[in-house]
Amino acid sequence: MTPETVEAFCLTLPGAALSVQWGGAHVFKVGGKIFAILAGMSRGEPEAWFKASEFSYILLVEQPGIRPAPYLARARWVAAALGALPADDLQAYLREAHRLVLAKLTRAARAEILRKS
């Protein structure tokens, strides 16, 4: 996937919003909480950083092109070079990251986001 297709996909998820911060990183949030980041684009080495389940984190960091995300690994985030995963797999992991973060929001916030989508 390209950075543009990752961005387009993330923005299709319910309640997803994009902000550009931290020196040009594209940060995707739901309910004000981050679920994915497109980083490394200024260096020409784009990566998708995303929250993973405990089991997925263990499996993913063993794959070539995927590493624990700097500063966020303790919360089970990974940094995957674009191309390290097939597009369908990356989309599934991004969808799961969105679901994991959405689940941590208050019941009212979740209901509002899902109602609007």
Side-chain angles (χ1 to χ4, degrees):
M1 292 183 78
T2 66
E4 294 79 17
T5 57
V6 170
E7 180 175 314
F9 176 77
C10 286
L11 292 175
T12 67
L13 299 171
L18 168 65
S19 66
V20 178
Q21 52 193 84
W22 304 319
H26 291 213
V27 180
F28 301 94
K29 300 178 182 182
V30 60
K33 304 289 185 184
I34 301 170
F35 71 91
I37 302 170
L38 268 174
M41 292 183 295
S42 62
R43 296 187 319 269
E45 300 170 3
E47 294 180 312
W49 294 15
F50 54 89
K51 184 164 184 58
S53 69
E54 187 173 343
F55 182 72
S56 293
Y57 178 84
I58 292 167
L59 292 176
L60 285 166
V61 296
E62 297 297 321
Q63 304 300 314
I66 303 175
R67 62 193 172 99
Y71 314 109
L72 299 169
R74 64 181 169 74
R76 293 189 305 272
W77 278 65
V78 297
L82 295 188
L85 291 167
D88 289 345
D89 290 351
L90 179 56
Q91 287 178 350
Y93 283 116
L94 291 168
R95 193 177 290 111
E96 177 66 3
H98 176 271
R99 189 196 67 76
L100 290 167
V101 172
L102 185 64
K104 297 263 183 177
L105 300 177
T106 65
R107 185 179 309 158
R110 280 194 313 270
E112 181 67 16
I113 289 165
L114 296 175
R115 185 184 64 76
K116 288 181 178 179
S117 61

